[in-house]
Amino acid sequence: MKRGISEVSHNLWPVASDAPSGAPGRAGPRRDGCGSGGAGSTSRELPFAGSDSEKASGPSPERIEHLERLALVDFRNREGVARLQAAIEFAGQLRAVDTDGVAPMASVLEDRCLYLRADDVVEGSCAEALLQNSQQTVEEYFVPPPGNITLPKQSEQGPVPKS
Amino acid sequence: MAAPILRCARPGRCWSLDYRPRRSRALFAEPVPGRVRGQSSAAAQEPRPGAHEWAAVVGLEIHAQISSNSKLFSGSQVTFLAPPNSLVSFFDASLPGTLPVLNRRCVEAAVMTGLALNCTVNKKSLFDRKHYFYADLPAGYQITQQRLPIAVNGSLTYSLGVGAQWSPSATKTVRIKQIQLEQDSGKSLHDDTRSQTLIDLNRAGVGLMEVVMEPDMSCGNEAATAVRELQLILRALGTSQANMAEGQLRVDANVSVHHPGEPLGVRTEVKNLNSIRFLAKAIDYEIQRQIEELQNGGKILNETRAFDEKLGCTVSMRDKEGKQDYRFMPEPNLPPLILYDAESLPVAADPQQVVNIDWIRERLPELPSVTRGRLVEQYGILPEHSFVLLNEDGLLEFFQTVMKETRAEPKKVIGWILTIFLGYLKQRNLAVSESPLSPSSLAELLNLLDSKVISLPAAKQVFEELWQNQGKTPGQIIREKKLELLQNQEELEEICQAVLAKHPQQVMAVKNGNQKVVNKLIGIVRRATGGRADPGRIKQILEKQLQ
């Protein structure tokens, strides 16, 4: 499940100086106050809840490690971490929108009806087909790869973050 | 005593503690090593000089498996025993391209449970993803309702001390913080021989109702009673079979201790509780452990502990990885769940697509508390009797079957059922369903007793015989053992006369005014008749003959 940020399409990650293209999608009453949008985050302060030093110079090595463990993503090298910072800055453009008094949108589907299914048994009984997907099985059980292996530490000495 | 309201903010949990008068809390005085003392709900005790009191706070998180044919978001079957991975759909196995489709029955079950627990049912609730990696969670996240659950702010009332210790003042209430719908995970089996884990996804995706109880309880007994009452409610509603042994009801307890008047202590979470009895034991053990730890100058860590049944203690399950970050996010594939009531019901709605809270409320089955009241009224039994009847699985049905087939008074029947019948069961550690005695047999026996064919002691003998379950009816046993009451007046008088003749000293004593000796004589006559004479009649005859 490891995937690097570099796999993501370049088009989604603008360089910090690009002006944002304005609010995506709907022009409903909710989004009225954001036509022009911000001018991109010109200040280097990164918009996330980190320590002061992180706000200035990006996520700390401990936080990178923490994120890697949480999401099983490998940032792999300095370029990967730089992309992470660019992603954070990109998301920061949302702060330009004034959302005071506006209820957060739950989902783009929120005007749809949630379909309710009748309580009938219509699926299952396909153990053989499912087990074929697994590299290893024992009788009719899946055998997962061994879990809880500690990920290799980064070259810099970073203590395991404790909350 | 003043009633300060303590508020304590803690990461992830914030509750206010309404400090009630000491009477209704279980307080632990400075414990004698190895024992918990002072657990009393009686009037407040004066603090012993030097004694430092502790108060314990217990909150519960209960997961009840919804009783439905299919799973919460897929159409695969929900059942207990099945070949591994045979009840798994592509969605349950988290194959790409699959989407969740909500099961209507699960929504109804959650609404019913919410209504039965006096909750406010949210007309709009939302689904979220809770992320963590574990082999039995194929998607890497669980769909749950973290932001806006389906029901909030309810209450559950329970009564402490069933049976002999029941007292009307021991009724307590615990607040229900919320009820939410969520998915169950699969099962992992550890194969130690080959050092690997085996995964069975049959349980993955089964609908759960998580019931969060506020920390209004203060000891294992209260928590166990509250869970028992919840079990009875869920079974009465039919929304969950709530069988702890089969994993349909899982309880995690949050336990902390503090000195009254001071802020709440650090809490630990106790998991792996497989029965109500162990639940009470584990909580009481954990309370005691925390008190001892703090008294010895130690600290309580905010950790998860498992209950070891064999050792009767809790052990730390602490994961060295640090606190989990679940990265909650809205479930993008599910719109909000909208529920309706009679007022808001859209006119031309497809009934299959619409859940009407009022419609469900009108059709709620009878709840245990109502059943108990009805039994008291219908049969004229005491409230504490109705508690025992409901508390023991199958006992109520047994009682009602006996009542249908017997002429005897309910009060007499209750006496037999609760003292003799239940006593026999408990002594041999049997459930009502395992009773060798059928309700019809007991009904027949009680009829014979009621029409004075046999005496009470004889009836007890017959009961013992019936328990051996040799296929004989009460009538047969009575005939075989010649237990019928001696009805013949002349015969009785003869026997009494003979006894009096044999015991001249006692006769003298009675004539001199010693009434107690009469009872002795009655006993002798009874033995002479082989227990086949009604003591009342013997007394009558003797008294007549002694004049």
Side-chain angles (χ1 to χ4, degrees), chain A residues 121-127 130, chain B residues 74-77 85-90 92:
Chain A
V121 176
V122 295
E123 295 176 283
S125 301
C126 51
L130 291 173
Chain B
S74 71
S76 31
Q77 193 184 7
N85 292 306
S86 61
L87 308 175
V88 184
S89 70
F90 288 177
D92 302 327

Side-chain angles (χ1 to χ4, degrees), chain B residues 193-381:
Chain B
T193 48
R194 276 172 278 196
S195 275
Q196 58 191 10
T197 309
L198 305 178
I199 302 294
D200 173 12
L201 296 178
N202 281 347
R203 202 184 66 179
V206 171
L208 295 177
M209 291 180 288
E210 177 171 341
V211 179
V212 182
M213 290 188 180
E214 299 276 23
D216 295 341
M217 293 159 286
S218 52
C219 65
N221 187 30
E222 288 185 5
T225 313
V227 171
R228 179 66 182 140
E229 186 66 14
L230 179 66
Q231 236 184 2
L232 294 175
I233 291 175
L234 291 173
R235 287 180 186 166
L237 292 174
T239 52
S240 171
Q241 276 147 36
N243 191 330
M244 276 183 93
E246 287 180 17
Q248 291 159 339
L249 191 73
R250 283 165 248 157
V251 183
D252 300 331
N254 294 305
V255 182
S256 75
V257 296
H258 66 291
H259 295 297
E262 288 179 21
L264 297 180
V266 176
R267 68 180 163 94
T268 63
E269 189 181 6
V270 184
K271 291 175 109 80
N272 191 29
L273 302 164
N274 295 330
S275 75
I276 294 193
R277 224 183 80 229
F278 288 145
L279 168 71
K281 255 179 132 181
I283 290 174
D284 287 334
Y285 173 87
E286 180 61 17
I287 291 171
Q288 189 57 17
R289 183 194 76 86
Q290 289 192 9
I291 291 176
E292 280 172 7
E293 182 72 29
L294 290 172
Q295 267 170 203
N296 293 335
K299 274 209 178 110
I300 306 296
L301 297 159
N302 180 358
E303 59 176 351
T304 305
R305 299 179 71 87
F307 181 63
D308 185 321
E309 299 171 17
K310 296 197 188 93
L311 300 174
C313 65
T314 60
V315 283
S316 177
M317 278 171 70
R318 198 154 32 110
D319 189 343
K320 296 191 184 68
E321 296 255 339
K323 202 158 145 206
Q324 263 286 19
D325 179 351
Y326 293 115
R327 297 180 293 146
F328 285 98
M329 69 176 253
E331 168 56 59
N333 294 322
L334 292 172
L337 173 62
I338 308 291
L339 303 173
Y340 300 93
D341 54 22
E343 266 177 34
S344 63
L345 198 60
V347 179
D350 175 3
Q352 171 63 14
Q353 290 305 313
V354 152
V355 173
N356 183 344
I357 302 171
D358 288 334
W359 191 92
I360 293 179
R361 185 186 284 116
E362 284 160 24
R363 285 157 185 76
L364 275 183
E366 187 177 77
L367 294 180
S369 48
V370 176
T371 307
R372 289 184 197 115
R374 181 171 61 77
L375 289 173
V376 169
E377 223 189 276
Q378 185 180 347
Y379 295 111
I381 56 179

Side-chain angles (χ1 to χ4, degrees), chain A residues 62-143:
Chain A
E62 295 84 9
R63 191 175 297 281
I64 300 279
E65 224 177 288
H66 184 55
L67 287 173
E68 285 187 329
R69 215 190 350 268
L70 275 188
L72 289 187
V73 169
D74 185 5
F75 293 113
R76 203 160 290 163
N77 51 24
R78 244 183 267 276
E79 194 189 298
V81 175
R83 284 191 184 282
L84 173 65
Q85 275 178 227
I88 294 171
E89 282 179 33
F90 176 67
Q93 293 170 104
L94 289 172
R95 288 176 150 215
V97 179
D98 178 12
T99 55
D100 278 346
V102 179
M105 182 171 78
S107 134
V108 293
L109 301 169
E110 66 180 17
D111 288 344
R112 305 272 195 93
C113 265
L114 177 49
Y115 177 78
L116 295 175
R117 180 177 57 84
D119 186 25
D120 300 318
V121 176
V122 295
E123 295 176 283
S125 301
C126 51
E128 211 181 295
L130 291 173
L131 288 165
Q132 275 176 7
N133 284 328
S134 178
Q135 271 189 354
Q136 221 192 327
T137 62
V138 167
E139 290 171 27
E140 275 154 348
Y141 292 93
F142 292 102
V143 180

